[in-house]
């Protein structure tokens, strides 16, 4: 299996993640979809690292994983805050800055 | 088809099915389990890409920490927040047109590029590619400064999460009337330890 298969699979996962981010109502579901997109990008990085036979892409993926974990921690704390303030985790409730 | 091809196929099917479950599940727990399947499938692909260290990191950090954090928050919020995917979301018709359009355009563009370009085969990996020694040599060599900065990032994220989750910004009078047990727990500045006594007072 060559590079193309991995890139296509990563594109499919990223597309599914975009779909989930736009259509999910649950804030936790939106965060999970963002996770899907981050994983697709990591797969791309590792596949290109293998393609170029060097470790740099894997180092990038390592930092990307650390960033994603930080993002999830802050995002879930915000979901908790949203639930405490509104009593629900629907994403459209977090629109006070918009109005 | 080679054994590697079969392994890739199994991992790809698991990952895509998990992703479908993640974006379509009504029950958030099922969504988290779909995310877990995707993560395990991608970890299998890391193994096949001879990135063993990253496969272990993927399983430890994502499957072991991130998914558990998701499940923990879902369980903490309880059934009160679970009806969240029912009903209509404001402006939902635009979303339901835009979301498939963007996804299909992205995937279609990728497939088109794959069709017109020549298929790329991997060249032979050098011995030790993807081991802890290879990745660690780069992390503690060229990427030492970003590595130290990432520790600061993680500390800031942890402290920020605690500050956000423990803030008492809203006054009790401005909060919505609580109905369920979970909402009562989160509706005021009540430590879970004191929840029972508050329930007793309400009953009285």
């Amino acid at each position: 299996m060559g590079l193309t298969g991995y890139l296509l699979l990563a594109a499919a996962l990223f597309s599914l993640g975009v779909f989930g981010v736009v259509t999910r109502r649950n804030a936790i579901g939106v965060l999970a979809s963002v996770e899907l997109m981050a994983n697709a990008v990591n797969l791309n990085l590792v596949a290109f690292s293998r393609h170029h036979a060097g470790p740099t892409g894997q180092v990038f993926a390592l930092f990307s994983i650390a960033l994603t974990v930080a993002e999830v921690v802050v995002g879930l704390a915000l979901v908790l805050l949203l639930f405490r303030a509104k009593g629900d985790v629907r994403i459209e409730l977090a629109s006070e800055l918009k109005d | 088809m080679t054994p590697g091809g079969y392994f890739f196929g199994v991992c790809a099917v698991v990952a895509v099915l998990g992703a479908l479950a993640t974006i379509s599940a009504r029950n958030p727990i099922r969504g988290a389990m779909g995310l877990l399947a995707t993560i395990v499938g991608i970890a299998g692909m890391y193994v096949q890409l001879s990135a063993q260290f990253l496969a272990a990191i993927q399983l430890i950090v994502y499957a072991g920490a991130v998914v558990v954090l998701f499940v923990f928050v879902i369980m903490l919020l309880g059934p009160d927040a679970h009806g969240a995917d029912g009903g209509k979301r404001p402006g939902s018709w635009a979303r339901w047109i835009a979301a498939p359009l963007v996804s299909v355009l992205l995937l279609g563009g990728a497939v088109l590029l794959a069709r017109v370009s020549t298929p790329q085969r991997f060249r032979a990996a050098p011995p030790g590619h993807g081991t802890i020694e290879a990745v660690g040599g780069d992390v503690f060599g060229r990427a030492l400064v970003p590595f130290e900065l990432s520790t600061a990032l993680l500390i800031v994220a942890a402290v920020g999460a605690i500050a956000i989750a423990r803030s008492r910004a809203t006054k009790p009078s401005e909060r919505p009337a609580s109905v369920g047990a979970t909402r009562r727990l989160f509706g005021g500045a009540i430590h879970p330890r004191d929840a029972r006594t508050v329930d007793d007072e309400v009953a009285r």
Side-chain angles (χ1 to χ4, degrees):
Chain A
M1 184 55 64
L3 178 66
T4 315
Y6 289 97
L7 296 190
L8 277 179
L9 181 78
L13 288 180
F14 192 90
S15 308
L16 288 172
V18 169
F19 188 89
V21 166
V22 179
T23 56
R24 289 305 298 255
R25 297 186 83 203
N26 192 327
I28 298 176
V30 174
L31 270 180
S33 304
V34 172
E35 286 304 295
L36 277 186
M37 292 160 70
N39 266 294
V41 172
N42 285 346
L43 183 60
N44 265 354
L45 287 172
V46 175
F48 273 112
S49 161
R50 177 71 183 77
H51 184 61
H52 291 293
T56 312
Q58 295 187 21
V59 175
F60 266 100
L62 199 60
F63 285 122
S64 164
I65 288 174
L67 274 172
T68 315
V69 170
E71 169 236 315
V72 164
V73 167
V74 175
L76 285 176
L78 285 173
V79 169
L80 273 181
L81 193 66
L82 180 70
F83 184 80
R84 200 189 290 153
K86 304 283 186 182
D88 207 329
V89 292
R90 277 173 295 168
I91 196 81
E92 68 260 22
L93 291 175
S95 60
E96 278 179 9
L97 281 180
K98 202 172 75 179
D99 300 330
Chain B
M1 209 167 169
T2 60
Y6 281 120
F7 187 67
F8 175 84
V10 169
C11 287
V13 167
V14 168
V16 170
L17 285 183
L20 283 172
T22 307
I23 65 168
S24 64
R26 289 270 166 121
N27 187 339
I29 288 289
R30 290 203 184 134
M33 291 304 111
L35 186 64
L36 184 64
T38 305
I39 284 162
V40 170
I42 288 182
M45 274 176 221
Y46 287 173
V47 170
Q48 209 186 9
L49 286 166
S50 62
Q52 301 91 348
F53 175 59
L54 266 185
I57 290 289
Q58 171 95 353
L59 285 181
I60 292 169
V61 173
Y62 269 113
V66 171
V67 172
V68 168
L69 195 63
F70 268 99
V71 172
F72 188 72
V73 169
I74 291 167
M75 292 295 185
L76 190 64
L77 296 187
D80 280 357
H82 282 194
D85 264 3
K88 290 197 72 172
R89 179 171 165 171
S92 57
W93 62 271
R95 288 172 202 284
W96 283 103
I97 293 171
L101 198 67
V102 171
S103 299
V104 167
L105 277 182
L106 268 173
L107 191 55
V111 171
L112 200 68
L113 278 176
R115 292 292 294 274
V116 297
S117 62
T118 52
Q120 296 288 325
R121 293 265 151 207
F122 290 128
R123 56 183 102 156
H129 177 78
T131 56
I132 295 182
E133 288 85 358
V135 179
D138 235 27
V139 167
F140 294 108
R142 285 192 299 168
L144 184 61
V145 174
F147 176 73
E148 296 293 342
L149 288 178
S150 72
T151 62
L153 170 87
L154 289 174
I155 288 287
V156 168
V159 172
I162 293 170
I164 290 171
R166 286 193 58 84
S167 68
R168 302 267 183 256
T170 50
K171 294 192 185 77
S173 56
E174 295 170 358
R175 295 202 182 94
S178 306
V179 283
T182 318
R183 288 190 193 178
R184 206 176 306 133
L185 193 62
F186 283 92
I190 303 171
H191 192 278
R193 176 192 59 210
D194 307 325
R196 177 166 292 279
T197 55
V198 173
D199 277 359
D200 295 344
E201 282 171 26
V202 169
R204 252 184 270 140

